[in-house]
Amino acid sequence: MNEDKILHLLEKVYTEFSNKFDEFAKRFDNIEERIAGVEKRISGVEGKITGIEEKIKVVEKEVKKLGIKIDTEITDKVRALFDDRQLLHEKIDKIDEKIDMLQLDVNNLTVKTLYHDNRIKELSKKLGV
């Protein structure tokens, strides 16, 4: 009878152990499925990151091209415009000087004309004309 009890207890322990083992196996399968899902997500993220890195490389190349273009073409054009601006300012300064000289000459002639007009009037009065 003791043997029956021991056998019965062993069967009970075995059954409980089997049930727990099956439960752990199911949980482990669930965990494996979740890990597989996470791995797929990580692969997707890695793919996106790779795409972003490639796009960044393309953008870097374009920025370098623009930098070179600015350094060569645009900088030269800006220098040429600055030089032209300097020349124009120098010409305008010369024209301003000439205008100032002409203004002095016109003022001088105006004074002389008034003087001569007054002299003519005086002489006309003396002659009685």
Side-chain angles (χ1 to χ4, degrees), residues 16-48:
E16 286 179 12
F17 181 74
S18 291
N19 289 340
K20 290 289 182 185
F21 183 76
D22 289 342
E23 194 177 308
F24 282 126
K26 287 178 185 175
R27 285 185 175 176
F28 186 73
D29 289 342
N30 266 349
I31 290 171
E32 283 182 333
E33 288 175 12
R34 288 173 136 181
I35 288 173
V38 169
E39 286 176 343
K40 286 180 185 177
R41 286 181 174 170
I42 289 173
S43 294
V45 170
E46 286 175 341
K48 289 178 181 178

PDB file of all heavy atoms in Angstrom, residues 16-48:
ATOM      1  N   GLU A  16       1.811  17.155 -12.429  1.00  0.00           N
ATOM      2  CA  GLU A  16       1.962  18.590 -12.143  1.00  0.00           C
ATOM      3  C   GLU A  16       3.197  19.145 -12.842  1.00  0.00           C
ATOM      4  O   GLU A  16       3.158  20.237 -13.418  1.00  0.00           O
ATOM      5  CB  GLU A  16       2.050  18.824 -10.632  1.00  0.00           C
ATOM      6  CG  GLU A  16       0.745  18.662  -9.910  1.00  0.00           C
ATOM      7  CD  GLU A  16       0.871  18.871  -8.406  1.00  0.00           C
ATOM      8  OE1 GLU A  16       1.929  19.366  -7.934  1.00  0.00           O
ATOM      9  OE2 GLU A  16      -0.095  18.549  -7.703  1.00  0.00           O
ATOM     10  N   PHE A  17       4.272  18.355 -12.790  1.00  0.00           N
ATOM     11  CA  PHE A  17       5.497  18.783 -13.453  1.00  0.00           C
ATOM     12  C   PHE A  17       5.272  18.897 -14.959  1.00  0.00           C
ATOM     13  O   PHE A  17       5.706  19.866 -15.594  1.00  0.00           O
ATOM     14  CB  PHE A  17       6.634  17.797 -13.147  1.00  0.00           C
ATOM     15  CG  PHE A  17       7.935  18.175 -13.768  1.00  0.00           C
ATOM     16  CD1 PHE A  17       8.690  19.236 -13.266  1.00  0.00           C
ATOM     17  CD2 PHE A  17       8.424  17.495 -14.888  1.00  0.00           C
ATOM     18  CE1 PHE A  17       9.889  19.594 -13.845  1.00  0.00           C
ATOM     19  CE2 PHE A  17       9.615  17.850 -15.474  1.00  0.00           C
ATOM     20  CZ  PHE A  17      10.362  18.894 -14.947  1.00  0.00           C
ATOM     21  N   SER A  18       4.574  17.937 -15.537  1.00  0.00           N
ATOM     22  CA  SER A  18       4.273  17.966 -16.981  1.00  0.00           C
ATOM     23  C   SER A  18       3.416  19.171 -17.325  1.00  0.00           C
ATOM     24  O   SER A  18       3.640  19.854 -18.327  1.00  0.00           O
ATOM     25  CB  SER A  18       3.553  16.682 -17.410  1.00  0.00           C
ATOM     26  OG  SER A  18       4.416  15.581 -17.354  1.00  0.00           O
ATOM     27  N   ASN A  19       2.410  19.424 -16.488  1.00  0.00           N
ATOM     28  CA  ASN A  19       1.541  20.587 -16.717  1.00  0.00           C
ATOM     29  C   ASN A  19       2.349  21.887 -16.644  1.00  0.00           C
ATOM     30  O   ASN A  19       2.188  22.775 -17.490  1.00  0.00           O
ATOM     31  CB  ASN A  19       0.393  20.617 -15.716  1.00  0.00           C
ATOM     32  CG  ASN A  19      -0.629  19.535 -15.972  1.00  0.00           C
ATOM     33  OD1 ASN A  19      -0.700  18.989 -17.073  1.00  0.00           O
ATOM     34  ND2 ASN A  19      -1.414  19.198 -14.960  1.00  0.00           N
ATOM     35  N   LYS A  20       3.183  21.985 -15.630  1.00  0.00           N
ATOM     36  CA  LYS A  20       4.017  23.196 -15.488  1.00  0.00           C
ATOM     37  C   LYS A  20       4.984  23.301 -16.661  1.00  0.00           C
ATOM     38  O   LYS A  20       5.201  24.386 -17.204  1.00  0.00           O
ATOM     39  CB  LYS A  20       4.798  23.178 -14.160  1.00  0.00           C
ATOM     40  CG  LYS A  20       3.959  23.348 -12.948  1.00  0.00           C
ATOM     41  CD  LYS A  20       3.449  24.767 -12.862  1.00  0.00           C
ATOM     42  CE  LYS A  20       2.624  24.945 -11.600  1.00  0.00           C
ATOM     43  NZ  LYS A  20       2.029  26.261 -11.533  1.00  0.00           N
ATOM     44  N   PHE A  21       5.546  22.169 -17.047  1.00  0.00           N
ATOM     45  CA  PHE A  21       6.480  22.183 -18.169  1.00  0.00           C
ATOM     46  C   PHE A  21       5.777  22.626 -19.446  1.00  0.00           C
ATOM     47  O   PHE A  21       6.315  23.425 -20.211  1.00  0.00           O
ATOM     48  CB  PHE A  21       7.106  20.784 -18.355  1.00  0.00           C
ATOM     49  CG  PHE A  21       8.129  20.747 -19.431  1.00  0.00           C
ATOM     50  CD1 PHE A  21       9.398  21.281 -19.235  1.00  0.00           C
ATOM     51  CD2 PHE A  21       7.827  20.195 -20.685  1.00  0.00           C
ATOM     52  CE1 PHE A  21      10.337  21.259 -20.238  1.00  0.00           C
ATOM     53  CE2 PHE A  21       8.762  20.175 -21.689  1.00  0.00           C
ATOM     54  CZ  PHE A  21      10.029  20.705 -21.470  1.00  0.00           C
ATOM     55  N   ASP A  22       4.551  22.100 -19.678  1.00  0.00           N
ATOM     56  CA  ASP A  22       3.767  22.521 -20.850  1.00  0.00           C
ATOM     57  C   ASP A  22       3.469  24.018 -20.788  1.00  0.00           C
ATOM     58  O   ASP A  22       3.541  24.729 -21.790  1.00  0.00           O
ATOM     59  CB  ASP A  22       2.467  21.722 -20.927  1.00  0.00           C
ATOM     60  CG  ASP A  22       2.687  20.262 -21.321  1.00  0.00           C
ATOM     61  OD1 ASP A  22       3.777  19.966 -21.868  1.00  0.00           O
ATOM     62  OD2 ASP A  22       1.774  19.452 -21.085  1.00  0.00           O
ATOM     63  N   GLU A  23       3.136  24.503 -19.570  1.00  0.00           N
ATOM     64  CA  GLU A  23       2.852  25.928 -19.380  1.00  0.00           C
ATOM     65  C   GLU A  23       4.110  26.764 -19.685  1.00  0.00           C
ATOM     66  O   GLU A  23       4.040  27.782 -20.393  1.00  0.00           O
ATOM     67  CB  GLU A  23       2.399  26.154 -17.933  1.00  0.00           C
ATOM     68  CG  GLU A  23       1.754  27.487 -17.691  1.00  0.00           C
ATOM     69  CD  GLU A  23       1.268  27.607 -16.250  1.00  0.00           C
ATOM     70  OE1 GLU A  23       0.549  26.710 -15.787  1.00  0.00           O
ATOM     71  OE2 GLU A  23       1.638  28.613 -15.608  1.00  0.00           O
ATOM     72  N   PHE A  24       5.251  26.306 -19.179  1.00  0.00           N
ATOM     73  CA  PHE A  24       6.504  27.008 -19.457  1.00  0.00           C
ATOM     74  C   PHE A  24       6.839  26.956 -20.938  1.00  0.00           C
ATOM     75  O   PHE A  24       7.316  27.939 -21.508  1.00  0.00           O
ATOM     76  CB  PHE A  24       7.662  26.425 -18.634  1.00  0.00           C
ATOM     77  CG  PHE A  24       7.678  26.869 -17.204  1.00  0.00           C
ATOM     78  CD1 PHE A  24       7.700  25.928 -16.175  1.00  0.00           C
ATOM     79  CD2 PHE A  24       7.679  28.217 -16.867  1.00  0.00           C
ATOM     80  CE1 PHE A  24       7.711  26.329 -14.856  1.00  0.00           C
ATOM     81  CE2 PHE A  24       7.699  28.616 -15.554  1.00  0.00           C
ATOM     82  CZ  PHE A  24       7.707  27.668 -14.532  1.00  0.00           C
ATOM     83  N   ALA A  25       6.572  25.839 -21.571  1.00  0.00           N
ATOM     84  CA  ALA A  25       6.833  25.704 -23.010  1.00  0.00           C
ATOM     85  C   ALA A  25       5.973  26.694 -23.792  1.00  0.00           C
ATOM     86  O   ALA A  25       6.444  27.331 -24.744  1.00  0.00           O
ATOM     87  CB  ALA A  25       6.573  24.267 -23.468  1.00  0.00           C
ATOM     88  N   LYS A  26       4.685  26.817 -23.401  1.00  0.00           N
ATOM     89  CA  LYS A  26       3.801  27.779 -24.075  1.00  0.00           C
ATOM     90  C   LYS A  26       4.310  29.207 -23.880  1.00  0.00           C
ATOM     91  O   LYS A  26       4.336  30.006 -24.805  1.00  0.00           O
ATOM     92  CB  LYS A  26       2.377  27.659 -23.544  1.00  0.00           C
ATOM     93  CG  LYS A  26       1.659  26.410 -24.014  1.00  0.00           C
ATOM     94  CD  LYS A  26       0.263  26.350 -23.410  1.00  0.00           C
ATOM     95  CE  LYS A  26      -0.429  25.035 -23.777  1.00  0.00           C
ATOM     96  NZ  LYS A  26      -1.735  24.892 -23.126  1.00  0.00           N
ATOM     97  N   ARG A  27       4.683  29.524 -22.645  1.00  0.00           N
ATOM     98  CA  ARG A  27       5.210  30.866 -22.366  1.00  0.00           C
ATOM     99  C   ARG A  27       6.490  31.123 -23.154  1.00  0.00           C
ATOM    100  O   ARG A  27       6.689  32.202 -23.705  1.00  0.00           O
ATOM    101  CB  ARG A  27       5.485  31.039 -20.864  1.00  0.00           C
ATOM    102  CG  ARG A  27       4.254  31.224 -20.050  1.00  0.00           C
ATOM    103  CD  ARG A  27       4.618  31.497 -18.608  1.00  0.00           C
ATOM    104  NE  ARG A  27       3.446  31.804 -17.815  1.00  0.00           N
ATOM    105  CZ  ARG A  27       3.487  32.011 -16.509  1.00  0.00           C
ATOM    106  NH1 ARG A  27       4.641  31.949 -15.860  1.00  0.00           N
ATOM    107  NH2 ARG A  27       2.393  32.283 -15.858  1.00  0.00           N
ATOM    108  N   PHE A  28       7.327  30.089 -23.199  1.00  0.00           N
ATOM    109  CA  PHE A  28       8.571  30.229 -23.949  1.00  0.00           C
ATOM    110  C   PHE A  28       8.294  30.450 -25.434  1.00  0.00           C
ATOM    111  O   PHE A  28       8.923  31.284 -26.077  1.00  0.00           O
ATOM    112  CB  PHE A  28       9.443  28.980 -23.741  1.00  0.00           C
ATOM    113  CG  PHE A  28      10.801  29.089 -24.345  1.00  0.00           C
ATOM    114  CD1 PHE A  28      11.762  29.906 -23.777  1.00  0.00           C
ATOM    115  CD2 PHE A  28      11.116  28.382 -25.509  1.00  0.00           C
ATOM    116  CE1 PHE A  28      13.013  30.021 -24.340  1.00  0.00           C
ATOM    117  CE2 PHE A  28      12.366  28.489 -26.075  1.00  0.00           C
ATOM    118  CZ  PHE A  28      13.318  29.302 -25.494  1.00  0.00           C
ATOM    119  N   ASP A  29       7.295  29.715 -25.969  1.00  0.00           N
ATOM    120  CA  ASP A  29       6.892  29.914 -27.377  1.00  0.00           C
ATOM    121  C   ASP A  29       6.385  31.339 -27.588  1.00  0.00           C
ATOM    122  O   ASP A  29       6.697  31.982 -28.597  1.00  0.00           O
ATOM    123  CB  ASP A  29       5.819  28.900 -27.783  1.00  0.00           C
ATOM    124  CG  ASP A  29       6.359  27.477 -27.903  1.00  0.00           C
ATOM    125  OD1 ASP A  29       7.603  27.327 -28.021  1.00  0.00           O
ATOM    126  OD2 ASP A  29       5.546  26.519 -27.878  1.00  0.00           O
ATOM    127  N   ASN A  30       5.590  31.830 -26.628  1.00  0.00           N
ATOM    128  CA  ASN A  30       5.098  33.217 -26.706  1.00  0.00           C
ATOM    129  C   ASN A  30       6.272  34.200 -26.723  1.00  0.00           C
ATOM    130  O   ASN A  30       6.289  35.156 -27.513  1.00  0.00           O
ATOM    131  CB  ASN A  30       4.197  33.531 -25.511  1.00  0.00           C
ATOM    132  CG  ASN A  30       2.743  33.303 -25.800  1.00  0.00           C
ATOM    133  OD1 ASN A  30       2.376  33.099 -26.943  1.00  0.00           O
ATOM    134  ND2 ASN A  30       1.925  33.334 -24.764  1.00  0.00           N
ATOM    135  N   ILE A  31       7.216  33.964 -25.851  1.00  0.00           N
ATOM    136  CA  ILE A  31       8.389  34.840 -25.777  1.00  0.00           C
ATOM    137  C   ILE A  31       9.165  34.787 -27.091  1.00  0.00           C
ATOM    138  O   ILE A  31       9.604  35.815 -27.612  1.00  0.00           O
ATOM    139  CB  ILE A  31       9.281  34.465 -24.566  1.00  0.00           C
ATOM    140  CG1 ILE A  31       8.565  34.842 -23.267  1.00  0.00           C
ATOM    141  CG2 ILE A  31      10.632  35.153 -24.653  1.00  0.00           C
ATOM    142  CD1 ILE A  31       9.246  34.342 -22.011  1.00  0.00           C
ATOM    143  N   GLU A  32       9.324  33.582 -27.630  1.00  0.00           N
ATOM    144  CA  GLU A  32      10.031  33.456 -28.911  1.00  0.00           C
ATOM    145  C   GLU A  32       9.306  34.218 -30.015  1.00  0.00           C
ATOM    146  O   GLU A  32       9.938  34.871 -30.850  1.00  0.00           O
ATOM    147  CB  GLU A  32      10.177  31.979 -29.297  1.00  0.00           C
ATOM    148  CG  GLU A  32      11.256  31.254 -28.534  1.00  0.00           C
ATOM    149  CD  GLU A  32      11.391  29.800 -28.977  1.00  0.00           C
ATOM    150  OE1 GLU A  32      10.396  29.213 -29.462  1.00  0.00           O
ATOM    151  OE2 GLU A  32      12.499  29.263 -28.837  1.00  0.00           O
ATOM    152  N   GLU A  33       7.970  34.132 -30.045  1.00  0.00           N
ATOM    153  CA  GLU A  33       7.192  34.870 -31.045  1.00  0.00           C
ATOM    154  C   GLU A  33       7.379  36.373 -30.872  1.00  0.00           C
ATOM    155  O   GLU A  33       7.542  37.112 -31.848  1.00  0.00           O
ATOM    156  CB  GLU A  33       5.712  34.504 -30.936  1.00  0.00           C
ATOM    157  CG  GLU A  33       5.388  33.110 -31.430  1.00  0.00           C
ATOM    158  CD  GLU A  33       3.924  32.727 -31.193  1.00  0.00           C
ATOM    159  OE1 GLU A  33       3.114  33.629 -30.856  1.00  0.00           O
ATOM    160  OE2 GLU A  33       3.606  31.541 -31.345  1.00  0.00           O
ATOM    161  N   ARG A  34       7.349  36.824 -29.633  1.00  0.00           N
ATOM    162  CA  ARG A  34       7.535  38.252 -29.372  1.00  0.00           C
ATOM    163  C   ARG A  34       8.932  38.694 -29.802  1.00  0.00           C
ATOM    164  O   ARG A  34       9.096  39.760 -30.398  1.00  0.00           O
ATOM    165  CB  ARG A  34       7.327  38.562 -27.896  1.00  0.00           C
ATOM    166  CG  ARG A  34       5.891  38.478 -27.470  1.00  0.00           C
ATOM    167  CD  ARG A  34       5.815  38.630 -25.987  1.00  0.00           C
ATOM    168  NE  ARG A  34       4.748  39.523 -25.607  1.00  0.00           N
ATOM    169  CZ  ARG A  34       4.477  39.841 -24.365  1.00  0.00           C
ATOM    170  NH1 ARG A  34       5.221  39.365 -23.380  1.00  0.00           N
ATOM    171  NH2 ARG A  34       3.481  40.649 -24.080  1.00  0.00           N
ATOM    172  N   ILE A  35       9.929  37.868 -29.485  1.00  0.00           N
ATOM    173  CA  ILE A  35      11.301  38.198 -29.877  1.00  0.00           C
ATOM    174  C   ILE A  35      11.412  38.242 -31.391  1.00  0.00           C
ATOM    175  O   ILE A  35      12.058  39.135 -31.952  1.00  0.00           O
ATOM    176  CB  ILE A  35      12.303  37.195 -29.259  1.00  0.00           C
ATOM    177  CG1 ILE A  35      12.413  37.439 -27.755  1.00  0.00           C
ATOM    178  CG2 ILE A  35      13.668  37.314 -29.926  1.00  0.00           C
ATOM    179  CD1 ILE A  35      13.246  36.410 -27.008  1.00  0.00           C
ATOM    180  N   ALA A  36      10.746  37.296 -32.074  1.00  0.00           N
ATOM    181  CA  ALA A  36      10.766  37.304 -33.536  1.00  0.00           C
ATOM    182  C   ALA A  36      10.132  38.592 -34.066  1.00  0.00           C
ATOM    183  O   ALA A  36      10.637  39.203 -35.018  1.00  0.00           O
ATOM    184  CB  ALA A  36      10.046  36.077 -34.090  1.00  0.00           C
ATOM    185  N   GLY A  37       9.022  39.018 -33.440  1.00  0.00           N
ATOM    186  CA  GLY A  37       8.384  40.274 -33.841  1.00  0.00           C
ATOM    187  C   GLY A  37       9.306  41.462 -33.625  1.00  0.00           C
ATOM    188  O   GLY A  37       9.415  42.363 -34.471  1.00  0.00           O
ATOM    189  N   VAL A  38       9.985  41.475 -32.486  1.00  0.00           N
ATOM    190  CA  VAL A  38      10.922  42.564 -32.175  1.00  0.00           C
ATOM    191  C   VAL A  38      12.078  42.551 -33.183  1.00  0.00           C
ATOM    192  O   VAL A  38      12.512  43.594 -33.666  1.00  0.00           O
ATOM    193  CB  VAL A  38      11.437  42.451 -30.719  1.00  0.00           C
ATOM    194  CG1 VAL A  38      12.595  43.393 -30.482  1.00  0.00           C
ATOM    195  CG2 VAL A  38      10.307  42.721 -29.742  1.00  0.00           C
ATOM    196  N   GLU A  39      12.560  41.364 -33.508  1.00  0.00           N
ATOM    197  CA  GLU A  39      13.650  41.260 -34.493  1.00  0.00           C
ATOM    198  C   GLU A  39      13.208  41.801 -35.848  1.00  0.00           C
ATOM    199  O   GLU A  39      13.975  42.490 -36.525  1.00  0.00           O
ATOM    200  CB  GLU A  39      14.113  39.806 -34.617  1.00  0.00           C
ATOM    201  CG  GLU A  39      14.928  39.323 -33.430  1.00  0.00           C
ATOM    202  CD  GLU A  39      15.291  37.841 -33.517  1.00  0.00           C
ATOM    203  OE1 GLU A  39      14.665  37.112 -34.309  1.00  0.00           O
ATOM    204  OE2 GLU A  39      16.214  37.428 -32.792  1.00  0.00           O
ATOM    205  N   LYS A  40      11.957  41.506 -36.247  1.00  0.00           N
ATOM    206  CA  LYS A  40      11.453  42.041 -37.521  1.00  0.00           C
ATOM    207  C   LYS A  40      11.398  43.562 -37.474  1.00  0.00           C
ATOM    208  O   LYS A  40      11.772  44.241 -38.421  1.00  0.00           O
ATOM    209  CB  LYS A  40      10.061  41.476 -37.825  1.00  0.00           C
ATOM    210  CG  LYS A  40      10.069  40.043 -38.263  1.00  0.00           C
ATOM    211  CD  LYS A  40       8.658  39.557 -38.542  1.00  0.00           C
ATOM    212  CE  LYS A  40       8.639  38.073 -38.876  1.00  0.00           C
ATOM    213  NZ  LYS A  40       7.278  37.562 -39.071  1.00  0.00           N
ATOM    214  N   ARG A  41      10.914  44.074 -36.342  1.00  0.00           N
ATOM    215  CA  ARG A  41      10.852  45.539 -36.200  1.00  0.00           C
ATOM    216  C   ARG A  41      12.240  46.144 -36.262  1.00  0.00           C
ATOM    217  O   ARG A  41      12.460  47.167 -36.907  1.00  0.00           O
ATOM    218  CB  ARG A  41      10.185  45.918 -34.880  1.00  0.00           C
ATOM    219  CG  ARG A  41       8.702  45.726 -34.855  1.00  0.00           C
ATOM    220  CD  ARG A  41       8.176  46.148 -33.507  1.00  0.00           C
ATOM    221  NE  ARG A  41       6.727  46.129 -33.461  1.00  0.00           N
ATOM    222  CZ  ARG A  41       6.033  46.265 -32.350  1.00  0.00           C
ATOM    223  NH1 ARG A  41       6.661  46.420 -31.190  1.00  0.00           N
ATOM    224  NH2 ARG A  41       4.727  46.250 -32.378  1.00  0.00           N
ATOM    225  N   ILE A  42      13.187  45.518 -35.571  1.00  0.00           N
ATOM    226  CA  ILE A  42      14.559  46.026 -35.574  1.00  0.00           C
ATOM    227  C   ILE A  42      15.127  45.985 -36.986  1.00  0.00           C
ATOM    228  O   ILE A  42      15.794  46.930 -37.422  1.00  0.00           O
ATOM    229  CB  ILE A  42      15.440  45.226 -34.586  1.00  0.00           C
ATOM    230  CG1 ILE A  42      15.048  45.579 -33.152  1.00  0.00           C
ATOM    231  CG2 ILE A  42      16.918  45.506 -34.815  1.00  0.00           C
ATOM    232  CD1 ILE A  42      15.730  44.730 -32.089  1.00  0.00           C
ATOM    233  N   SER A  43      14.832  44.904 -37.727  1.00  0.00           N
ATOM    234  CA  SER A  43      15.301  44.824 -39.116  1.00  0.00           C
ATOM    235  C   SER A  43      14.709  45.957 -39.945  1.00  0.00           C
ATOM    236  O   SER A  43      15.402  46.575 -40.762  1.00  0.00           O
ATOM    237  CB  SER A  43      14.914  43.474 -39.728  1.00  0.00           C
ATOM    238  OG  SER A  43      15.583  42.426 -39.089  1.00  0.00           O
ATOM    239  N   GLY A  44      13.416  46.243 -39.709  1.00  0.00           N
ATOM    240  CA  GLY A  44      12.780  47.352 -40.423  1.00  0.00           C
ATOM    241  C   GLY A  44      13.432  48.678 -40.090  1.00  0.00           C
ATOM    242  O   GLY A  44      13.698  49.506 -40.970  1.00  0.00           O
ATOM    243  N   VAL A  45      13.702  48.870 -38.807  1.00  0.00           N
ATOM    244  CA  VAL A  45      14.356  50.112 -38.369  1.00  0.00           C
ATOM    245  C   VAL A  45      15.760  50.207 -38.961  1.00  0.00           C
ATOM    246  O   VAL A  45      16.180  51.279 -39.420  1.00  0.00           O
ATOM    247  CB  VAL A  45      14.391  50.192 -36.827  1.00  0.00           C
ATOM    248  CG1 VAL A  45      15.278  51.326 -36.356  1.00  0.00           C
ATOM    249  CG2 VAL A  45      12.978  50.363 -36.272  1.00  0.00           C
ATOM    250  N   GLU A  46      16.477  49.086 -38.962  1.00  0.00           N
ATOM    251  CA  GLU A  46      17.813  49.091 -39.548  1.00  0.00           C
ATOM    252  C   GLU A  46      17.759  49.459 -41.023  1.00  0.00           C
ATOM    253  O   GLU A  46      18.593  50.210 -41.532  1.00  0.00           O
ATOM    254  CB  GLU A  46      18.478  47.721 -39.365  1.00  0.00           C
ATOM    255  CG  GLU A  46      18.928  47.448 -37.951  1.00  0.00           C
ATOM    256  CD  GLU A  46      19.465  46.024 -37.772  1.00  0.00           C
ATOM    257  OE1 GLU A  46      19.173  45.155 -38.624  1.00  0.00           O
ATOM    258  OE2 GLU A  46      20.171  45.796 -36.782  1.00  0.00           O
ATOM    259  N   GLY A  47      16.759  48.907 -41.725  1.00  0.00           N
ATOM    260  CA  GLY A  47      16.594  49.244 -43.145  1.00  0.00           C
ATOM    261  C   GLY A  47      16.331  50.728 -43.337  1.00  0.00           C
ATOM    262  O   GLY A  47      16.887  51.372 -44.227  1.00  0.00           O
ATOM    263  N   LYS A  48      15.475  51.277 -42.488  1.00  0.00           N
ATOM    264  CA  LYS A  48      15.180  52.709 -42.577  1.00  0.00           C
ATOM    265  C   LYS A  48      16.416  53.541 -42.279  1.00  0.00           C
ATOM    266  O   LYS A  48      16.679  54.541 -42.947  1.00  0.00           O
ATOM    267  CB  LYS A  48      14.040  53.075 -41.629  1.00  0.00           C
ATOM    268  CG  LYS A  48      12.696  52.538 -42.076  1.00  0.00           C
ATOM    269  CD  LYS A  48      11.602  52.889 -41.093  1.00  0.00           C
ATOM    270  CE  LYS A  48      10.265  52.325 -41.548  1.00  0.00           C
ATOM    271  NZ  LYS A  48       9.182  52.602 -40.608  1.00  0.00           N
TER     272      LYS A  48
END
